[in-house]
Amino acid sequence: MPDDRFTFEGHAGHALAARLDMPRGAHLATALFAHCFTCGKDIAAARRIAQRLAGMGIAVLRFDFTGLGHSEGEFANTSFSSNVDDLVAAAAALEARGMAPSLLVGHSLGGAAVLRAAHRIGSAKAVATIGAPCDPEHVTHNFGANLDEIRETGEATVDLGGRPFTISRGFLEDLEGASLVEDIRELRRALLVMHAPRDAVVGIENAARIFEAARHPKSYVTLDDADHLVTRARDADYAAEVIAAWAGRYLALERSAPPDGAPEGVVRVTEADPKGFLQDIQSGPQHHALADEPERLGGTDRGMSPYGFVAAGLGACTSMTIRIYARRKGWPLAHVEVEVTHDKLHAEDADEAGAGQPKKVDVFRRTIRLEGDLDDAQRARLLEIADRCPVHRTLEQSSRVETALA
């Protein structure tokens, strides 16, 4: 996905490093992503979720909070409240670009931050949390034996994930006073809570408390055996797919005008996994699908194969064509079902002149089931009509594929 790297002014005037992942095609909506405690905008989960959402037409801004990653400032001078202020500043930076965020996504403590920040971001229509604590104070368990030192001396250096961070008494006190129950109850936005039951860092009971405190519309989706940082690609991909599908119900996804000569618009296919074959398929703002190959061919079998989509197009068009004809005639057709299989067969009559070897031709076999009080003549006629399906004709007649380098 194309991206735009820039800085914006954070809560204390420091330059915060940001990355805006943009869709290659139509820009349908904008999301603001808040990463987990002491992490950065480029952690695996943030990167993959942002890229998958961008592949579905949703631009995503992710940034380093003050004192983290490539952002200016001192982490020791920050707090949970300052993170919330940074989020509000990020939303303002997007709005200045004409891209006010309608979706907020927060991971871990970032999830708690978006729950607090949402009421200050007027453009936000939906909020999604991933492994978020119900109370920010939950993160203090990471400080362990340093808690007493922080309270007594005013600060202490704490090892978090193999890196030293200075934690101040003010940071601790801010966390301890940051109950989110009222923020969640008065969220007034659609809420999606995603959590792994086996999360060893933020227990599943946090998801239950967030969900119980929230008013409708609210949803909960389990992340099964994902770890807290959502480090596995398939878990991050799944989270992105669920967020995009869910958010589509609450965001105003604007339809772009189709280009000349393409009345149905552009179908955009974007590689989702360069190590395999998984593809994101986006057709306008409403329709998203996955294409893949079976595991035996090196894929992950998470979507239909390319030929599966061709067969699906033939089957769908066949059913629609039969229905249109029966409806026009007023015939008692109750139900249509079309099964399609695909194979390649050797055919001597498909041999190119002078090639000397038989060619393989594609064979699509259709089995059509017609239900209803139809007589034999009507059934025979509907079977004939099936051959008038536009996709059928496209497959049987010669087509031309024109290719250009973008």
Side-chain angles (χ1 to χ4, degrees):
M1 294 298 107
D3 67 84
D4 181 10
R5 298 172 189 250
F6 63 97
T7 62
F8 64 91
E9 188 175 293
H11 77 282
H14 299 295
L16 304 188
R19 175 171 178 164
L20 180 62
D21 294 271
M22 290 293 298
R24 286 207 179 276
H27 172 211
L28 308 178
T30 302
L32 176 57
F33 188 98
H35 60 72
C36 55
F37 180 56
T38 72
C39 298
K41 66 182 184 303
D42 297 316
I43 63 168
R47 184 178 67 253
R48 292 191 68 87
I49 290 174
Q51 290 174 349
R52 293 307 303 277
L53 289 176
M56 301 173 197
I58 300 175
V60 182
L61 178 71
R62 43 195 170 104
F63 69 97
D64 294 324
F65 286 110
T66 299
L68 292 173
H70 297 94
S71 290
E72 295 179 351
E74 294 294 330
F75 179 81
N77 297 327
T78 66
S79 64
F80 175 71
S81 295
S82 73
N83 284 353
V84 172
D85 292 339
D86 282 346
L87 272 171
V88 175
L94 282 171
E95 186 172 9
R97 289 172 164 244
M99 300 173 62
S102 52
L103 171 63
L104 307 180
V105 182
H107 177 208
S108 191
L109 189 62
V114 298
L115 290 170
R116 170 62 57 85
H119 75 281
R120 295 172 57 188
I121 302 175
S123 59
K125 301 290 191 301
V127 177
T129 64
I130 304 170
C134 184
D135 290 314
E137 185 181 2
H138 185 280
V139 303
T140 60
H141 78 275
N142 292 289
F143 308 153
N146 298 105
L147 280 172
D148 290 339
E149 182 182 355
I150 295 170
R151 291 192 176 98
E152 292 173 4
T153 66
E155 66 177 35
T157 299
V158 179
D159 183 281
L160 299 173
R163 294 180 297 162
F165 290 91
T166 300
I167 305 297
S168 68
R169 183 190 295 126
F171 187 100
L172 199 64
E173 292 173 348
D174 184 64
L175 287 174
E176 292 171 341
S179 174
L180 294 179
V181 173
E182 191 62 27
D183 296 282
I184 298 168
R185 186 176 293 120
E186 298 301 323
L187 188 61
R188 301 187 188 280
R189 275 94 172 160
L191 175 64
L192 171 64
V193 180
M194 305 186 77
H195 214 109
R198 299 180 184 178
D199 191 327
V201 178
V202 179
I204 188 64
E205 68 277 2
N206 286 271
R209 291 178 60 199
I210 293 173
F211 190 82
E212 289 171 2
R215 293 190 171 102
H216 286 289
K218 58 182 178 178
S219 305
Y220 171 76
V221 174
T222 181
L223 291 177
D224 298 320
D225 60 347
D227 60 19
H228 179 69
L229 291 179
V230 198
T231 53
R232 290 185 306 200
R234 64 183 177 87
D235 293 325
D237 289 345
Y238 174 71
E241 292 160 15
V242 170
I243 291 171
W246 166 84
R249 296 180 62 90
Y250 306 104
L251 307 186
L253 303 180
E254 296 186 8
R255 295 179 180 271
S256 55
D260 293 338
E264 293 190 14
V266 175
V267 175
R268 181 165 285 100
V269 180
T270 306
E271 185 178 62
D273 182 7
K275 295 181 180 179
F277 298 109
L278 187 65
Q279 308 290 320
D280 273 314
I281 302 175
Q282 190 73 38
S283 178
Q286 304 293 342
H287 309 298
H288 174 259
L290 296 175
D292 205 344
E293 290 285 6
E295 292 183 1
R296 62 184 176 81
L297 297 179
T300 54
D301 202 21
R302 295 179 57 193
M304 288 196 298
S305 71
Y307 275 114
F309 276 99
V310 176
L314 175 60
C317 186
T318 299
S319 179
M320 292 175 185
T321 302
I322 291 173
R323 172 56 65 189
I324 290 171
Y325 188 85
R327 185 179 295 153
R328 185 181 303 131
K329 289 290 187 178
W331 290 354
L333 175 63
H335 182 68
V336 185
E337 181 177 298
V338 183
E339 293 181 356
V340 183
T341 59
H342 168 256
D343 195 6
K344 281 183 179 286
L345 295 179
H346 286 284
E348 294 292 341
D349 57 356
D351 185 20
E352 293 182 1
Q357 296 293 329
K359 298 288 291 184
K360 279 189 174 183
V361 295
D362 290 274
V363 177
F364 290 89
R365 293 186 175 88
R366 287 180 301 190
T367 300
I368 301 173
R369 292 184 173 85
L370 304 175
E371 297 179 10
D373 189 17
L374 301 164
D375 59 35
D376 290 343
Q378 289 172 328
R379 290 177 179 274
R381 182 56 177 161
L382 290 176
L383 190 61
E384 292 176 5
I385 292 300
D387 289 342
R388 296 186 183 182
C389 154
V391 173
H392 180 141
R393 292 181 172 181
T394 297
L395 290 172
E396 285 200 328
Q397 297 171 2
S398 59
S399 298
R400 184 175 65 195
V401 177
E402 298 177 351
T403 306
L405 189 63

